[in-house]
Amino acid sequence: MNELDQRIVSYLVRDARASYAEIGHDVGLSAPAVKRRVDRLLDEGVLRGFTAVVDPEALGWGTEAFVEMRCAGNVSPARIRGAVEGLPEVAAAYTVSGAADAIVHLRAASIHHMESALERLRALEIVESTVSTVVLSTLLERAPVPSARTSNPHEQGHA
């Protein structure tokens, strides 16, 4: 991905509804040239699609928790995913290093709904134990935005 591709992706992250002509005006390409690059970025998996970003709280799912999940025995990531993806409150799940095998991000409509979701998570056959942290407020949340690498003095050779 070159600098021009990074600029196109950055523009789409800011405004996924922008036309190819608008993006092209910003990056100095024609609309068809931008379309070809976007198609290539989609084919390569750099762009995975375009979606509406929704405020979960506006939909009534404003209670969040992060749950450290420890599994009973040696459980594969695929098995962890299979176990948690059936819970509608699971917003995301990650395998991690450290004492926990996975971190599960839950969203619920209320603290009582969260308690119910935690009970169902803990009841999964693969779960040995959990440690839950309820989110009080979101301080920062942003999508990754590609940018040209900034110079890092630690990566540069010294003459």
Side-chain angles (χ1 to χ4, degrees):
M1 196 165 88
N2 64 28
E3 184 181 341
L4 209 49
D5 293 332
Q6 290 176 343
R7 290 177 59 201
I8 291 169
V9 172
S10 293
Y11 200 104
L12 288 168
V13 167
R14 285 190 316 272
D15 183 3
R17 293 173 29 153
S19 70
Y20 295 133
E22 291 171 310
I23 298 168
H25 181 265
D26 187 66
V27 301
L29 292 174
S30 67
V34 171
K35 182 188 183 321
R36 283 191 300 273
R37 284 178 177 261
V38 169
D39 287 345
R40 181 179 46 78
L41 292 166
L42 284 163
D43 290 343
E44 293 174 354
V46 173
L47 294 173
R48 295 189 292 182
F50 304 91
T51 187
V53 179
V54 178
D55 179 359
E57 195 162 345
L59 297 177
W61 288 65
T63 304
E64 293 181 82
F66 288 91
V67 183
E68 294 181 26
M69 190 172 82
R70 290 172 182 81
C71 296
N74 187 12
V75 180
S76 72
R79 190 161 170 227
I80 294 170
R81 178 188 171 127
V84 302
E85 70 185 345
L87 300 174
E89 297 85 0
V90 174
Y94 313 91
T95 54
V96 295
S97 63
D101 295 298
I103 300 287
V104 179
H105 180 198
L106 297 176
R107 289 191 187 275
S110 66
I111 199 70
H112 298 292
H113 181 191
M114 181 63 71
E115 184 176 23
S116 170
L118 285 167
E119 288 172 0
R120 285 182 279 115
L121 179 68
R122 289 182 186 124
L124 295 174
E125 177 186 327
I126 65 166
V127 175
E128 182 175 279
S129 66
T130 62
V131 175
S132 305
T133 303
V134 174
V135 175
L136 299 177
S137 64
T138 300
L139 302 176
L140 178 65
E141 188 173 79
R142 61 178 161 207
V145 178
S147 61
R149 276 184 67 151
T150 56
S151 63
N152 181 339
H154 299 288
E155 292 179 356
Q156 296 174 353
H158 297 282

